[in-house]
Amino acid sequence: MREAVCPIGPAFLLLISLACPVLTAQDDVEVWRARYRRVEAELRAAGQPGLTPEQTRARAAALDDLADYWRAGSFGIDRRSVNGRAPLFVDGDGRRCAIAFLLDRSGETALVEQIARNHNDAWLVELADEPRLQGWLRRSGLTTVDAARIQGPGMDERMLSRMRRVVLQPPPPPPPRWAGPEDAAAPTRAGGSARPVGAPAPRAGRVTPTAMPVPIARGVPATELEAPEWELFWEGARDGFLVEAAAPGSSNASPREHARADLASRLVALLVHTDAHIRGAAAQALGNLREPSRALLIAVDDAQREVRMQAILALGGVQASVGADVLLRLVRLDAGQRDPLAPVALIALGLGGVVLDATVRRAVTEPGSDASVRLAALVQGELTGADWLEATAVADLHATDLALSCRAAEALGSVPSVQAVAALTRALSGPNRELRRSAAAGLGRSPHALALPALQTAYDLEREQVTRAALLLAIGRHREPDARAFLLAELSATQRALRCFAALGLGHAVRTLGSDGDAARTALRTAFVADHNHSAHGAYLIALGLARDTAALDLLAERLAHGTPALRLAAAEGLTLLGGDDAVRRLRARLRDEPCRVVRSAIADGLCVIGRESDVTAVADVLAAEAQTDAAAALATALGRRYTAVGLAALRALAFDAARPSTVRAAAVAGLGTMLREPPPRRLVELVREANWRAMPAWLSNLLAAAL
């Protein structure tokens, strides 16, 4: 991990993450009302192509009903001790949730009663296979995604009861029974006369079909979250993006194969070096080179724990039978005799693509197993796409160990099933904020169509600001137009401290869209200029790079040359993510003149990721002249980003130079392995890039960083 340019004290971070706003009862009702108003506007603006005229009229009527629902403000009251946001189809006084209200209005009272009787606390995703509900959705011109976006949780009675001047509206009168087919075109509204479906209601201020989503008045002070929080997210995610952005280097495999063979014996000799840093780096490099040397078995028994970890991880990369046997032996022992580094061995088996047999799988996932072993088993199952992953992760969502339950939530994101989305939707609405953040990360990764509406609804009603930031980032991992429209609205409408997270999410959402994302890129540049929260400006620079906004080249170059150290760092990384010859020229022009060693290493990273042989030569020259140990180690790591003949020669000279400091030599040795390896598995890149780093144990985050 690189040193932070603008460090934040742990006590201050704890204070802002624990802060919780106090809302009045009216605020609470208004938040719910604004949430449904926003959903109505979204659905009207999105439309639904391909509908029949009957479905078009029915859809308009359903959205009119939704408008009646939120204006009345008679939302369900949850009197159960759930300590979280939970759905309630019909509450104890007969109040309907939004979906139940729409069903009633269209004459489906019997279906409402059936669902209330059998699945009253189910999220829509859990009702997706209900045939009568699906039939109603088709007739109403609504999709399952629309319905999932409409549904919201009940209001927590305990919060309301703690507030002064609480006045709950009485339950609405029962809706009239649907008279039959002759009323299909003009169902009667409760308390009113019939009117044609789709006719505008005689009320001022009605949302028109072309209206943008309505900002929600959330009543949350912006001081709860400070913008530098984004740096913690980016510090964990950046390497995953850089690995993805790295150029392939030389297309000729012969020099690389020759370099691997030539280096193997020299790296093996370093496994018995007197310095543990160098021994560990040598083990890591041999694993990346997939060198099936039995010398790694010696390193597995090294006296230093860190060297053992690197050697075990390397055996997974080797994928040789002897390595797998050793790793399985570390894992297979009974829980009371299991090696302390069994979790590392499990992850190494995952990196090697070894699928666990039933006996081993049961031994490492049983409830009595150590939490770190079960956590590592989830990583192993995710890396191998194991068929047991979903059931195990759902069970571990309820573990008493928070890190384990958070990892289970993130692992479920790789399972594209309704059951996985349902479990994550429940976790996203639960009482533990850290688990909510991990559930957001999981749903951000999920390819299922119902993942996005779950994230949007949670964001609408979430009060804790760090979790809201996590939700914006997760929404940005979806490529749907609805996600982009949502983030565009939040880019200007949300509180100031959250806008940079909307920018990061939007940058990610349009990264692969080409010219289709130009409107979003323009909005990002505009938001950067308009946002006077200077500590957030770095996030916008990275967002512009994520968005591949070539129109932002001059802006990024200007901040790289004249910004604060924090802005120069962000500009360098933004240019790296942007890529291309123009970005390279701007990075190259700044390399030698940059006074800050952290920024200089970021520029070197960029040049080695996207540059040419001449750019790598420039980085190697700077490295040769660098006298500061930490800076030289960072430059050596940068040289390892991609294969070039110049970079290879520079790292070889550094790695075996006994006069160099051991930390610099170790960085060069590890860089050689990174340079000459095959690309890491995509599952690993996604796991690292899209994790909730706050909930990840230090041993796992360090291990995954080393594997990447």
Side-chain angles (χ1 to χ4, degrees):
M1 304 283 280
R2 299 169 304 147
E3 71 173 23
V5 175
C6 301
I8 308 171
F12 178 68
L13 280 176
L14 179 64
L15 176 64
I16 63 173
S17 67
L18 293 179
C20 185
V22 177
L23 303 179
T24 67
Q26 186 61 29
D27 284 334
D28 209 47
V29 172
E30 287 306 313
V31 167
W32 255 251
R33 180 179 278 129
R35 185 258 161 187
Y36 289 110
R37 184 169 71 243
R38 176 181 195 160
V39 172
E40 182 205 351
E42 287 176 0
L43 296 183
R44 288 189 188 277
Q48 189 65 36
L51 298 182
T52 66
E54 293 78 9
Q55 288 174 316
T56 300
R57 289 192 293 269
R59 179 183 174 87
L63 296 181
D64 290 344
D65 289 337
L66 182 59
D68 290 344
Y69 179 75
W70 66 255
R71 287 192 179 98
S74 184
F75 308 120
I77 307 301
D78 192 350
R79 292 189 167 92
R80 304 164 298 174
S81 57
V82 294
N83 195 24
R85 297 184 301 270
L88 201 61
F89 214 67
V90 180
D91 76 2
D93 296 318
R95 298 179 186 88
R96 268 59 171 155
C97 78
I99 292 294
F101 184 87
L102 300 188
L103 284 165
D104 267 336
R105 280 289 182 89
S106 60
E108 293 286 354
T109 304
L111 179 56
V112 171
E113 293 170 352
Q114 173 192 319
I115 295 175
R117 185 169 54 250
N118 300 325
H119 307 287
N120 201 39
D121 62 349
W123 287 101
L124 197 287
V125 64
E126 299 169 281
L127 302 172
D129 59 353
E130 165 58 53
R132 291 181 62 189
L133 179 61
Q134 287 297 320
W136 172 77
L137 288 173
R138 283 192 296 273
R139 293 191 301 275
S140 301
L142 299 170
T143 66
T144 305
V145 173
D146 292 338
R149 184 70 180 110
I150 291 169
Q151 186 190 30
M155 296 174 63
D156 189 344
E157 183 194 39
R158 288 167 308 152
M159 173 171 286
L160 292 172
S161 67
R162 290 195 297 267
M163 301 171 183
R164 298 179 180 178
R165 299 185 300 278
V166 176
V167 179
L168 299 180
Q169 296 189 31
R177 293 285 180 176
W178 190 36
E182 67 274 12
D183 291 334
T188 301
R189 270 60 180 170
S193 60
R195 62 182 168 85
V197 175
R203 298 183 180 93
R206 181 173 178 81
V207 178
T208 64
T210 57
M212 289 298 292
V214 181
I216 293 179
R218 298 178 178 88
V220 184
T223 54
E224 184 186 342
L225 175 70
E226 293 296 330
E229 176 75 18
W230 69 264
E231 293 179 358
L232 301 182
F233 149 74
W234 180 244
E235 188 66 30
R238 67 181 295 277
D239 280 349
F241 281 104
L242 291 182
V243 166
E244 187 178 66
S250 172
S251 60
N252 187 352
S254 298
R256 301 178 74 169
E257 293 299 331
H258 177 74
R260 289 190 185 105
D262 183 55
L263 277 171
S265 60
R266 301 192 69 182
L267 290 173
V268 167
L270 293 180
L271 290 174
V272 294
H273 195 276
T274 56
D275 188 276
H277 291 97
I278 293 177
R279 296 201 303 275
Q284 178 183 342
L286 285 167
N288 280 330
L289 268 58
R290 302 193 183 282
E291 174 57 39
S293 172
R294 288 187 174 270
L296 279 174
L297 303 183
I298 299 173
V300 169
D301 295 324
D302 197 280
Q304 290 290 328
R305 178 185 178 89
E306 290 74 14
V307 178
R308 289 195 69 210
M309 290 176 66
Q310 292 285 22
I312 291 170
L313 204 62
L315 285 177
V318 167
Q319 290 183 314
S321 58
V322 61
D325 289 343
V326 171
L327 296 175
L328 286 169
R329 192 159 60 246
L330 293 172
V331 170
R332 267 193 178 126
L333 297 175
D334 294 336
Q337 302 174 329
R338 189 174 285 144
D339 191 284
L341 292 184
V344 183
L346 276 169
I347 294 172
L349 286 166
L351 291 171
V354 176
V355 178
L356 302 180
D357 63 36
T359 302
V360 176
R361 191 260 300 169
R362 283 194 297 269
V364 298
T365 59
E366 61 188 5
S369 295
D370 182 77
S372 62
V373 172
R374 290 160 65 192
L375 189 153
L378 290 171
V379 177
Q380 200 277 345
E382 189 173 353
L383 291 173
T384 57
D387 56 6
W388 49 263
L389 178 63
E390 180 177 356
T392 302
V394 169
D396 283 339
L397 271 176
H398 309 290
T400 56
D401 184 272
L402 180 59
L404 175 59
S405 59
C406 288
R407 177 85 284 277
E410 294 175 48
L412 278 174
S414 64
V415 181
S417 73
V418 170
Q419 293 76 16
V421 175
L424 287 173
T425 301
R426 288 198 170 274
L428 192 62
S429 303
N432 188 286
R433 67 186 65 183
E434 207 60 71
L435 183 55
R436 295 203 300 274
R437 295 167 192 162
S438 288
L443 286 167
R445 298 176 62 193
S446 173
H448 199 282
L450 295 180
L452 178 59
L455 290 166
Q456 292 170 307
T457 296
Y459 179 82
D460 287 342
L461 301 175
E462 179 62 57
R463 292 189 177 94
E464 199 277 319
Q465 294 292 72
V466 178
T467 307
R468 300 192 78 219
L471 286 162
L472 287 170
L473 295 172
I475 290 168
R477 292 172 190 138
H478 288 266
R479 298 291 188 263
E480 293 93 325
D482 288 349
R484 300 197 297 276
F486 191 95
L487 292 167
L488 273 169
E490 290 303 304
L491 194 60
S492 58
T494 192
Q495 287 128 352
R496 190 176 74 165
L498 284 170
R499 290 173 191 168
C500 65
F501 288 95
L504 288 165
L506 187 60
H508 195 176
V510 303
R511 181 162 179 77
T512 59
L513 288 184
S515 60
D516 290 343
D518 284 347
R521 296 180 180 106
T522 300
L524 284 171
R525 295 195 303 275
T526 302
F528 170 73
V529 173
D531 196 331
H532 300 297
N533 183 7
H534 296 292
S535 58
H537 281 184
Y540 288 97
L541 298 179
I542 288 172
L544 290 167
L546 285 172
R548 294 193 170 108
D549 184 9
T550 55
L553 268 167
D554 290 339
L555 186 156
L556 288 165
E558 194 277 332
R559 295 305 188 277
L560 180 63
H562 303 297
T564 64
L567 275 183
R568 297 202 304 274
L569 175 61
E573 293 179 335
L575 286 166
T576 301
L577 293 165
L578 179 59
D581 292 340
D582 289 334
V584 167
R585 281 196 294 273
R586 286 157 171 80
L587 289 168
R588 185 192 306 137
R590 185 64 187 173
L591 177 64
R592 295 185 183 278
D593 296 334
E594 175 53 53
C596 175
R597 59 190 176 88
V598 177
V599 180
R600 194 162 59 249
S601 69
I603 294 172
D605 260 345
L607 289 173
C608 293
V609 164
I610 60 174
R612 307 293 182 263
E613 190 93 11
S614 59
D615 300 313
V616 176
T617 301
V619 174
D621 291 343
V622 172
L623 171 58
E626 181 59 64
Q628 197 165 11
T629 299
D630 290 346
L635 290 167
T637 300
L639 279 178
R641 291 287 182 190
R642 66 190 287 257
Y643 173 79
T644 62
V646 171
L648 176 65
L651 288 180
R652 283 174 60 105
L654 195 60
F656 301 106
D657 184 352
R660 287 281 191 166
S662 59
T663 52
V664 178
R665 292 186 64 190
V669 170
L672 286 169
T674 304
M675 175 185 288
L676 296 172
R677 71 178 176 184
E678 298 299 322
R682 180 160 183 80
R683 287 178 186 269
L684 174 63
V685 175
E686 291 176 350
L687 192 158
V688 170
R689 188 178 61 194
E690 299 167 6
N692 173 16
W693 286 84
R694 285 173 161 272
M696 189 177 289
W699 68 265
L700 179 59
S701 61
N702 292 335
L703 202 66
L704 293 177
L708 191 64

